[in-house]
Amino acid sequence: MTGHDEFKARSLDTAVQETLKKAKEKGIETVWDRYEKMLPQCGFGDTGLCCRHCLQGPCRINPFGDEPKTGICGATADVMVARGIDRAIAAGTAAHSGHAKHLAHTMLKMTEGKAKDYTIKDADKLKAVAKRLGISIEGKSDMQLAKEVAETALGDFAEKHEGVYWATTVLNEGRKKVLSSLNAIPKGIDHEVSEIMHRTLYGVDADAVNLLLGGLRCGVADLAGCYMGTDLADILFGTPKPVITKANMGVLKADMVNIAAHGHNPVLSEMIVKMAEEMKDEAISAGAKGINIVGICCTGNELMERHGIPACTHSVSQEMALLTGALDAIVVDYQCIMPSLVTVAECMGSKVITTMDICKITGAEHVEFTEQEAGQKAKEVIKIAIETFKRRKSKAVDIPNVQSTVIAGFSVEAIVSALMNVNPNDPLKPLLDNIKNGNIRGVCLFAGCNNVKVPQDKNFLTIAKKLLKNNVLVLATGCGAGALMRHGFMDPANVEGLCGEGLKAVLTAIGQANNLGGPLPPVIHLGSCVDNSRAVALVVHISNYLGVDIDKLPVVASAAEAVSEKAVSIGVYAVAMGLPTHVGVMLPVLGSPTVTSILTDKIKGLTGGYFIVDLDPETSADKLLSAINERRKALGL
């Protein structure tokens, strides 16, 4: 394998290929090097047949039917695998809902005058959410409403048996009926996470079907947490509207103080954007032309959709941003942050700054963030980056000249607004008419991460290309959106080359109706991981409009290069919503034929959704198209 082929086998992103070459020259270890050292990976763990949930283990079950056939406690392969997948669902739910809880606390502190740097940016969204939650808005100030919404949000975490559940306020009636019949309506978000941890403890639930039904309910709790995170962020920071921006490492500027906001929560990063403008003169005094904020992962998506902040890179390639030598600081909140960033930063003379008490990394500089001192803490972070720039400004940098145009920020409200310019009286009608006539064959949501086991972006690009050519409307969130944006899939100029004739006509008609002078982009950017809730909101709108449940719609989902346990919990709630859901890497379930059969087949009879596990992107695309066609046929389309 030549050097170029070696780097291409790791990532399809040419900017990443350039920085990988630099890493090799400098002897800096990256995630791909660490992966290769780990091979061959444990076959027991790969199939889910390894349990460390008590101190008698670890236990391993022989996948070929020989001894041992159970764990020491007697747990079968079915139980061991079901317990493992349940714990992944619980972890993902805890992460998304922790994000939402943080926003709820921030909003509550704002209403109490304890977080004065925050304000209500979208009062209309506040009123809409309050109404949905059954909160009377008459005669109340925005601050009063925000307090009640925040308190209602926080009340959704503990177990309760009456009152409003966030999840039920966002579902259509058909889904509520289906999930209620399966006892899959969460009683409280934290309660469901806690119950999963209890029932998967040594000596508790030992029935695989019962375990998976508990996992399903926890997955619906994850939907509640995601939806809550989106709602509260829109109220506090503004509901996104389409913005034009850029993506990939070419967005770094050698002559500016470069700060990357990395993680998943906008509470701090919003303040960094605000304070960066105030501290521009300080950066200029240090010899810079200004302060350049860029995004990595979902904090980057949050800033992109609301401010047009460009995305530097995503997920598995986060170390590469540091290898340019131009990044003065990576400021992290939590989730998807590689501890290895600290080592690479030390080699490149940069800084990694942690900010949350639940996410510290040995060797990083820590600035403890509080909402009460949000602006001040943001300034502390920016000062560290400016000091780093002073040491870096006379040194050569190596920024790959690679970037793509991106139109981002399509909230459901923005999508409906765009459709209103096509049909003011019935905005969903043009969309549904084009689904009926086949100009739009169906809809696919891309979500999830990049996985080091897959050449970076390969699965996303391969599947998206085939779906777009077959007139499937593609939505994207998280680092899945990052993969597609870096390769030009969110640039309207590429509609001609990427889309089928029917989809091209629809995107062009909507773009022209909105005076864009051309089409919408081939792929619609919905935002961060929690913003998968926007996709759910959209399909609920369509479901209600057509008068059929979600499991009848020609809508599918794909986590083509999944990594995080958050991708597992998102996949579970997508299946709970009734969607065929593709995963492009192996789930640790093959050690149990029973669990595998339930997740990929039998659950279809319960929720209408099911998992498609396929590592080949070509056949994965075919299976997603087949699922769409099956549903079109059932609808008589």
Side-chain angles (χ1 to χ4, degrees):
M1 184 182 290
T2 66
H4 177 74
D5 288 340
E6 173 192 353
F7 304 134
K8 193 171 182 180
R10 292 181 168 189
S11 175
L12 302 192
D13 187 333
T14 54
V16 173
Q17 292 167 19
E18 285 186 40
T19 43
L20 277 170
K21 181 180 179 182
K22 184 175 180 180
K24 187 171 184 178
E25 290 169 352
K26 287 182 169 288
I28 296 175
E29 185 179 73
T30 71
V31 63
W32 285 276
D33 301 312
R34 295 188 295 274
Y35 170 64
E36 288 174 3
K37 288 180 181 178
M38 203 60 62
L39 297 174
Q41 291 180 304
C42 173
F44 292 96
D46 214 28
T47 57
L49 292 177
C50 177
C51 178
R52 298 183 61 193
H53 297 171
C54 85
L55 300 183
Q56 296 173 127
C59 291
R60 299 182 301 180
I61 291 177
N62 192 313
F64 303 108
D66 297 327
E67 296 293 342
K69 294 183 179 180
T70 71
I72 292 168
C73 72
T76 64
D78 296 338
V79 170
M80 192 176 286
V81 169
R83 285 175 174 172
I85 204 75
D86 267 8
R87 287 198 167 204
I89 297 166
T93 303
H96 286 139
S97 62
H99 174 158
K101 189 188 291 185
H102 192 164
L103 287 164
H105 279 300
T106 300
M107 183 181 286
L108 186 59
K109 289 175 183 176
M110 174 196 72
T111 66
E112 296 171 343
K114 298 175 182 176
K116 296 181 180 179
D117 288 312
Y118 297 95
T119 58
I120 296 166
K121 292 289 178 63
D122 192 337
D124 290 338
K125 183 70 178 263
L126 170 64
K127 293 179 176 67
V129 171
K131 285 181 180 178
R132 200 186 71 224
L133 295 172
I135 298 170
S136 172
I137 67 172
E138 296 302 321
K140 295 177 181 175
S141 68
D142 288 347
M143 279 296 180
Q144 286 175 303
L145 275 181
K147 183 177 177 64
E148 288 189 51
V149 167
E151 289 173 339
T152 301
L154 292 170
D156 214 59
F157 287 88
E159 182 180 11
K160 57 185 178 181
H161 297 279
E162 59 183 14
V164 173
Y165 297 102
W166 209 281
T168 58
T169 69
V170 304
L171 299 173
N172 56 305
E173 289 304 317
R175 274 301 94 184
K176 281 192 272 189
K177 185 176 180 180
V178 168
L179 295 176
S180 293
S181 71
L182 296 171
N183 191 26
I185 299 294
K187 299 179 179 69
I189 299 171
D190 283 353
H191 164 74
E192 300 304 340
V193 173
S194 178
E195 184 170 285
I196 287 292
M197 298 309 291
H198 179 192
R199 71 197 298 162
T200 57
L201 181 76
Y202 171 75
V204 189
D205 199 343
D207 180 273
V209 173
N210 199 46
L211 282 159
L212 291 175
L213 286 172
L216 186 72
R217 188 167 69 235
C218 192
V220 179
D222 186 49
L223 170 62
C226 286
Y227 219 113
M228 185 189 294
T230 298
D231 284 338
L232 300 183
D234 285 354
I235 293 166
L236 285 170
F237 309 126
T239 301
K241 298 177 181 178
V243 292
I244 301 174
T245 183
K246 298 285 185 180
N248 220 319
M249 281 185 266
V251 303
L252 295 169
K253 308 297 180 188
D255 53 5
M256 298 183 77
V257 177
N258 291 299
I259 302 173
H262 180 16
H264 282 78
N265 193 322
V267 172
L268 168 63
S269 56
E270 283 280 337
M271 287 299 113
I272 290 175
V273 171
K274 179 180 178 181
M275 296 305 164
E277 186 60 33
E278 292 187 17
M279 297 178 70
K280 182 179 178 180
D281 289 344
E282 193 170 327
I284 291 171
S285 296
K289 287 189 175 179
I291 300 171
N292 182 39
I293 308 296
V294 300
I296 296 177
C297 292
C298 279
T299 292
N301 275 308
E302 296 272 1
L303 294 180
M304 174 179 273
E305 67 182 341
R306 293 190 175 90
H307 302 286
I309 297 295
C312 181
T313 195
H314 298 83
S315 195
V316 76
S317 55
Q318 58 191 261
E319 295 163 308
M320 302 298 104
L322 287 163
L323 279 156
T324 64
L327 196 53
D328 299 301
I330 292 186
V331 185
V332 304
D333 42 72
Y334 42 56
Q335 300 174 27
C336 299
I337 299 147
M338 293 183 187
S340 62
L341 288 176
V342 171
T343 304
V344 181
E346 287 174 354
C347 294
M348 300 306 299
S350 185
K351 290 282 186 181
V352 176
I353 304 169
T354 57
T355 58
M356 303 293 175
D357 60 358
I358 65 167
C359 181
K360 293 184 179 180
I361 305 171
T362 302
E365 190 155 342
H366 188 73
V367 175
E368 185 69 25
F369 173 77
T370 65
E371 292 90 343
Q372 293 92 326
E373 301 176 298
Q376 177 188 328
K377 295 297 182 179
K379 286 181 178 180
E380 286 182 35
V381 165
I382 295 168
K383 283 180 182 293
I384 293 170
I386 291 173
E387 289 302 313
T388 305
F389 173 82
K390 289 179 181 178
R391 296 189 296 271
R392 189 263 297 174
K393 63 183 177 181
S394 59
K395 299 176 183 177
V397 298
D398 187 9
I399 303 171
N401 186 26
V402 181
Q403 57 182 310
S404 298
T405 296
V406 178
I407 295 187
F410 288 90
S411 61
V412 174
E413 291 86 346
I415 291 171
V416 172
S417 177
L419 292 172
M420 284 184 72
N421 287 326
V422 180
N423 187 331
N425 299 318
D426 195 355
L428 285 181
K429 188 174 187 299
L431 178 63
L432 273 299
D433 284 348
N434 280 287
I435 291 175
K436 289 175 182 177
N437 67 27
N439 280 338
I440 297 175
R441 185 187 288 203
V443 181
C444 180
L445 167 69
F446 281 101
C449 333
N450 289 128
N451 191 311
V452 72
K453 295 179 178 180
V454 180
Q456 188 187 14
D457 304 335
K458 179 183 177 181
N459 286 1
F460 284 113
L461 302 187
T462 303
I463 299 172
K465 282 178 182 177
K466 183 170 272 192
L467 295 185
L468 289 169
K469 278 297 182 184
N470 281 274
N471 298 309
V472 174
L473 178 64
V474 174
L475 316 174
T477 61
C479 289
L484 293 166
M485 72 174 66
R486 293 196 316 278
H487 292 272
F489 281 65
M490 295 182 184
D491 184 349
N494 294 326
V495 164
E496 183 68 33
L498 289 171
C499 299
E501 292 302 319
L503 180 60
K504 189 190 310 179
V506 175
L507 295 174
T508 301
I510 297 172
Q512 290 176 342
N514 285 273
N515 300 314
L516 300 180
L520 296 180
V523 173
I524 305 300
H525 177 267
L526 294 186
S528 66
C529 287
V530 296
D531 292 332
N532 283 299
S533 60
R534 299 195 200 277
V536 173
L538 190 59
V539 295
V540 167
H541 276 310
I542 295 171
S543 174
N544 288 334
Y545 186 91
L546 291 176
V548 299
D549 199 3
I550 295 169
D551 65 329
K552 307 297 189 297
L553 301 177
V555 180
V556 297
S558 175
E561 300 176 22
V563 169
S564 174
E565 289 162 314
K566 294 183 298 175
V568 178
S569 58
I570 291 168
V572 169
Y573 78 64
V575 169
M577 291 301 100
L579 304 183
T581 302
H582 166 249
V583 182
V585 296
M586 191 52 63
L587 289 173
V589 298
L590 288 186
S592 167
T594 298
V595 172
T596 301
S597 175
I598 290 171
L599 295 178
T600 60
D601 180 28
K602 289 185 171 57
I603 196 169
K604 185 177 181 181
L606 300 177
T607 70
Y610 55 94
F611 281 104
I612 300 167
V613 182
D614 191 338
L615 280 57
D616 183 324
E618 290 286 350
T619 55
S620 297
D622 292 337
K623 288 174 183 176
L624 289 168
L625 286 168
S626 178
I628 287 170
N629 289 337
E630 177 186 333
R631 293 185 169 204
R632 288 186 65 86
K633 184 178 180 180
L635 288 170
L637 301 179

